[in-house]
Amino acid sequence: ACADAVTLQPAQTSSTVTTPPVTTRRRVLIVDDEPSVAALLARSLKLAGYECSEAYSAGSAIQLLTESGAKFDCVITDLTMPDMKGTELARRIHQQNPSLPIVLCSGYSESGADIGETSAIAAFLQKPFNLKRLSQILSSVLEPSRSTALSLFKEQTDAAGVPESDDSATGRAAG
C-alpha cells in the first residue's frame, strides 16, 4: 500500500468524473492496510458519488462482508497486505459472492502470471492512478457484463505491468 498512490485533484474532479445519479449510488468496500490510503480513496470516491466503507485488513473485510449484512456493489483491495494477499482475499470473497466485482490495486508491476487465478478479479488498477481512471474502472466493473472489465484487466496484465501514461496521475508507484 502506498499513501501517495491516489491523488485527489479537485479542479479536475467535476469535469473528468461522471457522478452516478443519486438513485443509483453504488456502495464500495475499500480494503487497504494503510488507513490513510483507504481514507483518501474513500474521500475521492465519495466526491464522485459513491458510498464507501473501509476495512484495514483482509480479515476485517471478510468479517464486514459476512457478518454485518452490508451489501456492497464492488470491493477495491490492495494486493500487498500483511495478513493476506489481495488475490487470496478476492478468491475468498468470490467463493461466497461470485457476482461481487473485485478490483485489485498495486504499485508493483504485476502480470497475469504473478496474480494467478483471475476469475475472482474483475479489474487490475496500477498505482499510481487518478480519480478519472478509477471511475472508468468502477463504471466498467459495475456494468451487468464484466466483459469490458475483464478485457481491461487482460490489457493491463498483458502489458507486463507497464502503467498507462496519464498526465494527471501523480504519486509514488510503491505498493
Side-chain angles (χ1 to χ4, degrees):
C2 171
D4 297 327
V6 182
T7 58
L8 178 61
Q9 299 168 346
Q12 295 179 359
T13 300
S14 62
S15 64
T16 59
V17 177
T18 303
T19 303
V22 174
T23 57
T24 61
R25 286 181 71 112
R26 302 295 190 136
R27 294 203 63 214
V28 178
L29 175 60
I30 299 164
V31 187
D32 199 301
D33 61 304
E34 291 189 32
S36 61
V37 173
L40 179 59
L41 186 53
R43 190 178 99 206
S44 300
L45 287 174
K46 286 175 185 175
L47 287 173
Y50 293 90
E51 293 180 29
C52 300
S53 296
E54 301 166 34
Y56 306 123
S57 70
S60 63
I62 291 169
Q63 184 176 7
L64 184 61
L65 286 164
T66 58
E67 294 178 7
S68 73
K71 301 293 181 200
F72 292 96
D73 298 298
C74 182
V75 175
I76 299 173
T77 183
D78 190 32
L79 173 64
T80 307
M81 296 182 288
D83 64 330
M84 182 186 306
K85 285 186 73 171
T87 50
E88 175 62 17
L89 174 62
R91 187 187 65 73
R92 290 186 186 188
I93 293 170
H94 187 73
Q95 285 176 340
Q96 298 299 313
N97 189 348
S99 64
L100 182 62
I102 301 164
V103 177
L104 185 68
C105 300
S106 179
Y108 297 108
S109 296
E110 302 297 332
S111 69
D114 294 334
I115 293 172
E117 176 57 45
T118 60
S119 65
I121 301 168
F124 177 77
L125 190 56
Q126 180 73 44
K127 293 178 185 177
F129 54 85
N130 63 19
L131 186 56
K132 179 180 179 182
R133 182 67 182 140
L134 177 60
S135 292
Q136 290 170 338
I137 293 288
L138 285 178
S139 293
S140 69
V141 301
L142 291 171
E143 291 174 3
S145 168
R146 284 182 37 178
S147 61
T148 303
L150 289 173
S151 68
L152 284 171
F153 173 74
K154 287 180 176 48
E155 285 174 20
Q156 291 170 345
T157 57
D158 288 346
V162 177
E164 67 174 14
S165 72
D166 186 334
D167 58 4
S168 61
T170 60
R172 297 186 327 229

